Amino acid sequence: MNTISISFILPTKAKPTQIWQYYTDLNLRKLWETDLEDFRIFGDLKTGSKGIFKLQNIPEMEVTLSKIIDKQEFTEQFDMPEIGLLFFSHQIIEISHNQYALKSEISLKPDPKMDTKASYDFIKQISDDIIDKTYKVNGLVEG
């Protein structure tokens, strides 16, 4: 099955330098990702780096930074057994000259054994969360 994804774009008054730290600093990230218990990267904050990601009531998971572009994109990848590759992307996009938006995207490249309905149910279950968290980030960065 091909990758399925859902995204949400929210215009913001904040600039990339104000926003970026809320994706990369654990203490600031916990202000909008309130179920986050731990997020550590081993080595530099760059594409390909690995780390640990822990949410409340979910076992600790290995995370790979699949795409890092400074002050533009922070994408995390999780290899979930029997589910597939799950990507969470936090982006700062320019929508017009000096006007920006927060873009949040969840993508799933399902395990070949996973059926279409199960893939749909899984991504639907976690999709509302990106809207809430994007609004929360925006509230923090706009002050």
Side-chain angles (χ1 to χ4, degrees):
M1 180 190 303
N2 291 325
T3 299
I4 55 176
S5 64
I6 185 167
S7 63
F8 178 70
I9 296 174
L10 179 64
T12 185
K13 295 174 186 165
K15 303 293 182 224
T17 52
Q18 296 168 274
I19 302 163
W20 187 248
Q21 62 188 338
Y22 283 87
Y23 297 147
T24 60
D25 181 301
L26 176 63
N27 291 321
L28 293 175
R29 189 160 176 157
K30 284 181 173 182
L31 297 175
W32 61 271
E33 195 159 12
T34 55
D35 55 348
L36 182 63
E37 291 183 356
D38 193 13
F39 186 31
R40 287 176 278 149
I41 299 302
F42 307 124
D44 295 330
L45 190 67
K46 65 179 188 177
T47 300
S49 293
K50 296 194 180 299
I52 297 296
F53 192 88
K54 171 76 174 90
L55 296 175
Q56 292 171 357
N57 304 317
I58 295 177
E60 185 176 275
M61 299 177 278
E62 182 180 275
V63 61
T64 301
L65 300 180
S66 65
K67 189 171 185 182
I68 302 296
I69 302 173
D70 190 46
K71 295 176 188 68
Q72 288 182 29
E73 182 172 347
F74 190 96
T75 300
E76 306 141 13
Q77 172 186 320
F78 301 90
D79 188 352
M80 304 182 73
E82 299 178 19
I83 294 173
L85 291 177
L86 182 64
F87 300 87
F88 287 92
S89 185
H90 313 285
Q91 300 172 38
I92 305 162
I93 59 173
E94 190 168 20
I95 52 177
S96 65
H97 180 67
N98 218 21
Q99 294 293 309
Y100 299 92
L102 305 174
K103 179 179 180 184
S104 298
E105 184 172 77
I106 299 172
S107 300
L108 174 65
K109 182 169 178 50
D111 182 292
K113 297 178 199 125
M114 190 176 202
D115 69 29
T116 302
K117 171 101 170 68
S119 298
Y120 165 81
D121 289 345
F122 179 79
I123 206 160
K124 185 176 187 306
Q125 173 188 341
I126 59 176
S127 65
D128 283 350
D129 203 33
I130 68 166
I131 296 170
D132 296 341
K133 288 180 177 178
T134 304
Y135 267 102
K136 195 155 202 151
V137 169
N138 194 50
L140 291 164
V141 298
E142 285 189 351

